[in-house]
Amino acid sequence: MSDRKNTVLKFFDEQKDYFRDRVTSGIEAYRKGTASITLATPNGVLSSGAKVEIEQIRHYFRFGANLFMLDEFESPEKNAIYREKFPELFNIATLPFYWSTLEPTEGHPRFAADSEKIYRRPAPDLCLDYCREKGIEPKCHCLNYESFTPEWLRWNPDYGVFKEKLERRFREIAERYAGQIPSFEVTNEHFWGKYGNRTYSRAYDEPDFVEYSYRLAEKYFPNNHLIINEFQLWAPETYNPRNAYWLLIENLLLKGCRIDSIGMQYHSFYPRESEHACAELRYNPERMFRLMDLYEQFGLPLQITEMTIPAYSLAPEDEEVQAEILERVYPMFFSQKNMEAVIYWNVVDGYAAFAPMGDMTAGENTFAGGLLRFDMTEKPAWKTLDRLINKEWHTSLSLSVPGNMASFRGFYGDYRVKITTENGRVSEHTISLTPESDNHFTLIV
């Protein structure tokens, strides 16, 4: 085993029994259910035998990525590949609603599909058309992200003006998209402030800056799923209920704000030389489960809202290590009781934030965290997720039913059921196996 692989997988190897037991039991308990099927004719119960073929066609659990590169590549060929590859793995897509690029000029939002292009910021209508075509659930990112307050508002000293403009934004987005997009991230990355080289708006320091966003969200999105999102996690100070994110959520809930899901980013944006420290905090089953268990105490669903696992280079060994990490962290997230979604971030290398297209020496491109290479070929990471999502976590069965009752246990999701009776009559049905329903189905054949 290589030095890098030894470093990043050390804690998974040391805790392999705990890892295996927790993942196996969690997936069986929380990601699968039992369905019972009664076969009937239009005139009564079918008493003769039948062959029942069951094929899962969609996961109930959300596996996703951002859709920031939809029709944004430098060639029609790459655009076409991206459009075809995305739904092979993902059933949810994060759409860019960054205020600064959705409304770069005040009063002229880029909602329409034919809006002026901005790199990595495809227009919402274009994204929604694609999601409808491919059967992908869209998700908004994000309604009030302080780092992307538009320049025409960022330095306005009047907080009342900021609130007025922010409410207009919420209202316009709700009028156009509340009926089309199920879930909205309301706020994101609350603790950048004066850290690093980021600037922050005049409004950021106001005491109700975050609370006001949730008041607006409940007003304009009463029937949508509201999500809070944060990156300051997976560090020593976050493994207890005294950390800033925990206290922020607790404070908002105590004030009566509605939060429907807790978002947890999982970007491993660490230089290669710091990977040993990263592994102890972020590739450590005991620590990872402890943090997720902590946030489950709120009784709310969890989401891994953004994830990047670095390969650092195109070297085969580095790409294999990236895949090995995904092989371990995805089952952990998938097995967690309240987890409802895992969303990877950039699908293709060379098109990440803070870097020119194709420049692997700048910005987030330096981590080579994509699942596809710059030439759109599949990395081992893509193949690993394909195997997990589409094969290992997939139910396909063929049953011989002597009477009129059948049952099966499978992963939650949508299924195609084909029934062939003894006299050769064939019928096809679609059923949904979900944790909320009794999962008993009467199928007319």
Side-chain angles (χ1 to χ4, degrees):
M1 186 179 290
S2 70
D3 288 342
R4 184 185 173 208
K5 185 178 286 191
N6 273 321
T7 295
V8 299
L9 302 182
K10 172 184 177 182
F11 296 98
F12 287 108
D13 292 337
E14 291 177 354
Q15 301 171 34
K16 61 183 178 182
D17 292 339
Y18 170 71
F19 170 81
R20 181 194 61 245
D21 293 346
R22 176 88 187 233
V23 165
T24 301
S25 61
I27 290 175
E28 188 64 30
Y30 309 129
R31 301 284 89 88
K32 298 173 77 175
T34 300
S36 60
I37 298 172
T38 300
L39 308 179
T41 67
N43 299 319
V45 174
L46 180 70
S47 58
S48 59
K51 179 182 179 182
V52 180
E53 297 171 77
I54 298 161
E55 187 70 32
Q56 186 176 5
I57 56 177
R58 182 179 174 85
H59 271 284
Y60 174 87
F61 192 88
R62 278 82 161 177
F63 295 103
N66 78 50
L67 198 60
F68 295 178
M69 286 304 296
L70 182 67
D71 293 349
E72 289 290 312
F73 293 93
E74 68 273 22
S75 71
E77 293 77 16
K78 283 190 173 182
N79 285 329
I81 293 171
Y82 184 82
R83 280 178 164 265
E84 290 306 310
K85 295 292 288 183
F86 196 94
E88 289 181 13
L89 292 186
F90 307 123
N91 58 18
I92 189 170
T94 299
L95 278 52
F97 274 75
Y98 300 95
W99 195 357
S100 60
T101 46
L102 190 61
E103 192 181 357
T105 302
E106 184 177 5
H108 299 279
R110 300 173 50 254
F111 293 141
D114 61 354
S115 296
E116 179 184 0
K117 281 188 170 294
I118 296 178
Y119 179 50
R120 299 183 76 250
R121 300 293 183 260
D125 285 2
L126 176 70
C127 295
L128 285 171
D129 289 344
Y130 173 77
C131 288
R132 279 190 290 268
E133 175 191 345
K134 300 297 185 181
I136 294 169
E137 179 182 322
K139 173 189 176 184
C140 165
H141 173 78
C142 134
L143 293 171
N144 184 19
Y145 182 6
E146 189 279 329
S147 292
F148 289 89
T149 301
E151 288 301 314
W152 50 261
L153 180 60
R154 176 174 289 274
W155 307 117
N156 193 309
D158 190 332
Y159 186 44
V161 171
F162 176 87
K163 285 185 166 182
E164 174 190 328
K165 304 297 185 183
L166 186 66
E167 181 164 9
R168 173 187 50 83
R169 169 174 160 83
F170 276 53
R171 182 176 62 250
E172 289 179 351
I173 291 175
E175 289 171 351
R176 193 172 183 112
Y177 298 113
Q180 301 183 69
I181 300 177
S183 57
F184 289 77
E185 288 179 3
V186 181
T187 54
N188 183 46
E189 297 182 354
H190 313 81
F191 310 114
W192 277 113
K194 304 179 175 95
Y195 296 107
N197 58 2
R198 295 214 177 184
T199 58
Y200 62 103
S201 69
R202 292 290 295 270
Y204 177 81
D205 285 332
E206 296 294 334
D208 69 340
F209 178 81
V210 177
E211 179 187 350
Y212 182 68
S213 297
Y214 287 89
R215 303 295 185 198
L216 289 180
E218 189 159 13
K219 176 180 178 180
Y220 289 106
F221 301 91
N223 300 313
N224 298 92
H225 200 77
L226 306 182
I227 305 165
I228 191 168
N229 192 31
E230 183 51 53
F231 81 104
Q232 294 273 30
L233 291 159
W234 320 101
E237 65 273 14
T238 64
Y239 290 89
N240 62 72
R242 299 181 299 279
N243 73 80
Y245 191 34
W246 171 280
L247 293 172
L248 173 64
I249 294 169
E250 182 180 57
N251 181 266
L252 291 169
L253 294 175
L254 288 172
K255 289 180 175 178
C257 295
R258 177 162 66 88
I259 297 172
D260 297 316
S261 289
I262 297 172
M264 311 171 80
Q265 294 184 26
Y266 192 70
H267 293 298
S268 290
F269 290 143
Y270 293 88
R272 185 193 290 263
E273 57 270 22
S274 301
E275 202 168 28
H276 64 287
C278 173
E280 185 172 3
L281 300 174
R282 305 171 65 86
Y283 308 144
N284 182 325
E286 188 277 329
R287 283 180 174 270
M288 292 172 67
F289 278 124
R290 177 149 51 100
L291 184 68
M292 291 187 287
D293 290 346
L294 173 68
Y295 278 86
E296 278 199 353
Q297 292 178 23
F298 283 112
L300 297 172
L302 308 178
Q303 294 189 8
I304 301 299
T305 47
E306 307 176 27
M307 182 196 297
T308 303
I309 300 298
Y312 296 115
S313 80
L314 296 178
E317 179 187 336
D318 280 338
E319 289 189 349
E320 287 293 341
V321 172
Q322 180 194 29
E324 292 260 18
I325 297 170
L326 290 175
E327 175 89 33
R328 288 157 175 79
V329 299
Y330 259 77
M332 292 183 63
F333 297 142
F334 188 57
S335 68
Q336 184 70 22
K337 180 180 179 180
N338 282 15
M339 193 67 68
E340 63 181 359
V342 176
I343 299 173
Y344 206 78
W345 205 231
N346 298 302
V347 177
V348 189
D349 278 340
Y351 301 95
F354 314 119
M357 182 185 297
D359 183 355
M360 298 300 291
T361 68
E364 293 175 7
N365 282 348
T366 60
F367 297 98
L371 306 174
L372 302 175
R373 303 181 185 93
F374 186 71
D375 64 3
M376 309 298 282
T377 55
E378 295 178 1
K379 298 169 68 174
W382 176 281
K383 292 180 171 66
T384 293
L385 294 189
D386 180 50
R387 174 170 47 79
L388 291 174
I389 295 169
N390 295 323
K391 298 177 179 64
E392 292 187 18
W393 300 333
H394 176 87
T395 301
S396 180
L397 298 167
S398 181
L399 307 174
S400 293
V401 183
N404 55 45
M405 295 289 293
S407 66
F408 73 93
R409 185 165 179 81
F411 290 97
Y412 290 123
D414 296 336
Y415 285 82
R416 183 181 298 110
V417 181
K418 180 180 178 181
I419 302 171
T420 306
T421 64
E422 288 183 340
N423 62 11
R425 186 173 179 176
V426 177
S427 61
E428 291 194 2
H429 313 263
T430 301
I431 63 174
S432 295
L433 179 63
T434 71
E436 298 91 1
S437 60
D438 64 5
N439 296 313
H440 178 79
F441 308 92
T442 298
L443 305 181
I444 306 300
V445 298

